[in-house]
């Protein structure tokens, strides 16, 4: 009897350890190799909704991977995408800015790399390819908003402390995704004028959107490393635990609605 209980306990323990499946993956966009991170919980069943996670301007780092893990624990197959190529990341603002500009200053590159990630995620056995959302942080937040503006086939996009300005404003009837913007009210990179312009743009385009301003929260409020990175790079960014918690809950509520969970 004791021996049977032992083996049952061993099987149960092994099952728990094997539940979260993590893979370093490679895919291509044009002639660029992109190195992402795919994660899912194999106890949650087949054909899960998929979520793309677009990193901050620092690049695909442990923070983006951790958010992907958190999504997998909620029952989604998550892909932390690589927008810079070769999995590059940095903790130095000047280098991160160079990486970011290499994408945003080249016409079509951001869309090409995002859609390559989307196509890769849709091919995964655990994914319901008709149920895909995208979230992004900082640079990534701006990226997912712009992908929605470009009529990318997504159920929802969520921007955490992302830039709201764009050179490709939404047109009436073109945005397929529901849009959620989670912004720090004390974010020095997002002005009141840009918020007003964004809301006018969304309203005129008939977008189903919601914008939340968290009082006192600064840029980078969702990232526990923001204080350290801000101090090291002389940037006005800071972690805010309450805004982090509330924004993650707001994202989950939106996903429950669009995925009818």
């Amino acid at each position: 009897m004791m021996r049977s209980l032992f083996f049952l306990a061993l099987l149960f323990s092994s099952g728990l350890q094997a539940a979260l499946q993590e893979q370093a993956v490679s895919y291509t966009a044009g002639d660029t190799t992109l190195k992402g991170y795919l994660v899912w919980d194999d106890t949650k069943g087949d054909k899960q909704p998929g979520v793309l996670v677009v990193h901050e301007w620092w690049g695909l780092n442990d923070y983006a991977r951790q958010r992907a893990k958190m999504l997998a624990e909620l029952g989604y197959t998550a892909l932390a995408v690589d927008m810079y190529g070769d999995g590059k990341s940095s903790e130095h603002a000047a280098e991160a800015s160079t990486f970011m500009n290499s994408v945003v200053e080249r016409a079509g590159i951001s869309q090409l790399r995002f859609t390559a990630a989307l196509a890769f995620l849709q091919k995964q056995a655990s994914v319901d390819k008709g149920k895909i959302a995208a979230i992004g942080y900082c640079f990534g937040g701006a990226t997912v908003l712009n992908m929605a503006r470009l009529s990318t086939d997504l159920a929802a996009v969520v921007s955490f402390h992302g830039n709201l300005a764009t050179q490709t404003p939404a047109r009436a009837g073109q945005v397929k995704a529901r849009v959620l913007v989670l912004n720090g009210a004390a974010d020095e990179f997002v002005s009141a004028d840009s918020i007003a312009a964004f809301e006018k743009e969304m309203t005129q385009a008939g977008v189903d959107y919601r914008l939340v301003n968290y009082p006192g929260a600064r840029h980078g409020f969702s990232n526990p490393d923001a204080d350290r990175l801000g101090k090291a790079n002389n940037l006005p960014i800071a972690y805010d635990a309450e805004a982090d918690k509330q924004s993650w809950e707001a994202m989950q509520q939106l996903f429950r609605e669009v995925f009818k969970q």
Side-chain angles (χ1 to χ4, degrees):
M1 179 67 175
M2 288 299 294
R3 185 177 180 183
S4 297
L5 289 172
F6 171 77
F7 280 113
L8 282 172
L10 184 61
L11 285 170
F12 182 69
S13 175
S14 298
L16 285 177
Q17 292 174 358
L20 208 64
Q21 304 296 317
E22 306 171 56
Q23 291 182 358
V25 297
S26 293
Y27 53 100
T28 60
D31 58 0
T32 301
T33 298
L34 304 165
K35 296 182 178 180
Y37 168 76
L38 183 71
V39 57
W40 72 101
D41 185 335
D42 65 6
T43 70
K44 301 292 188 181
D46 295 332
K47 302 306 177 186
Q48 307 163 6
V51 182
L52 297 164
V53 181
V54 187
H55 53 73
E56 298 173 285
W57 77 331
W58 307 114
L60 179 49
N61 54 17
D62 287 342
Y63 177 63
R65 285 187 281 268
Q66 180 59 32
R67 287 298 182 180
K69 284 184 183 179
M70 292 169 68
L71 285 162
E73 289 166 355
L74 293 173
Y76 305 107
T77 294
L79 175 64
V81 310
D82 173 15
M83 293 297 290
Y84 293 162
D86 203 31
K88 292 194 292 288
S89 67
S90 176
E91 291 195 346
H92 302 287
E95 188 173 32
S97 180
T98 297
F99 291 160
M100 182 182 71
N101 288 335
S102 73
V103 175
V104 300
E105 292 180 355
R106 296 163 62 195
I109 292 298
S110 182
Q111 186 177 21
L112 180 67
R113 293 182 182 178
F114 183 89
T115 55
L118 173 59
F120 180 86
L121 182 61
Q122 289 175 320
K123 292 176 183 177
Q124 303 309 305
S126 64
V127 173
D128 181 341
K129 66 180 182 180
K131 294 182 177 181
I132 307 289
I135 71 172
Y137 298 86
C138 182
F139 158 77
T143 297
V144 301
L145 287 177
N146 282 330
M147 292 307 105
R149 288 170 167 126
L150 293 171
S151 300
T152 308
D153 195 7
L154 298 164
V157 299
V158 183
S159 169
F160 295 82
H161 43 84
N163 194 324
L164 304 180
T166 183
Q167 295 183 355
T168 56
R171 294 180 296 167
Q174 295 299 301
V175 176
K176 301 175 183 178
R178 285 184 61 180
V179 173
L180 176 61
V181 170
L182 305 167
N183 185 67
D187 190 330
E188 296 181 29
F189 297 105
V190 180
S191 68
D193 286 346
S194 69
I195 291 173
F198 173 79
E199 293 192 303
K200 181 179 179 181
E201 173 199 357
M202 293 291 107
T203 300
Q204 290 181 341
V207 179
D208 185 347
Y209 85 99
R210 179 182 175 218
L211 186 147
V212 183
N213 257 330
Y214 296 106
R218 303 178 76 182
H219 191 74
F221 64 77
S222 72
N223 189 341
D225 282 334
D227 293 332
R228 176 179 63 82
L229 291 168
K231 183 177 181 180
N233 291 278
N234 193 29
L235 292 172
I237 63 177
Y239 179 62
D240 187 306
E242 187 60 27
D244 178 18
K245 178 177 179 290
Q246 291 182 20
S247 61
W248 191 250
E249 290 173 349
M251 177 209 72
Q252 291 180 68
Q253 179 59 39
L254 175 62
F255 287 174
R256 285 192 290 267
E257 293 172 7
V258 298
F259 297 134
K260 304 196 185 321
Q261 295 171 304

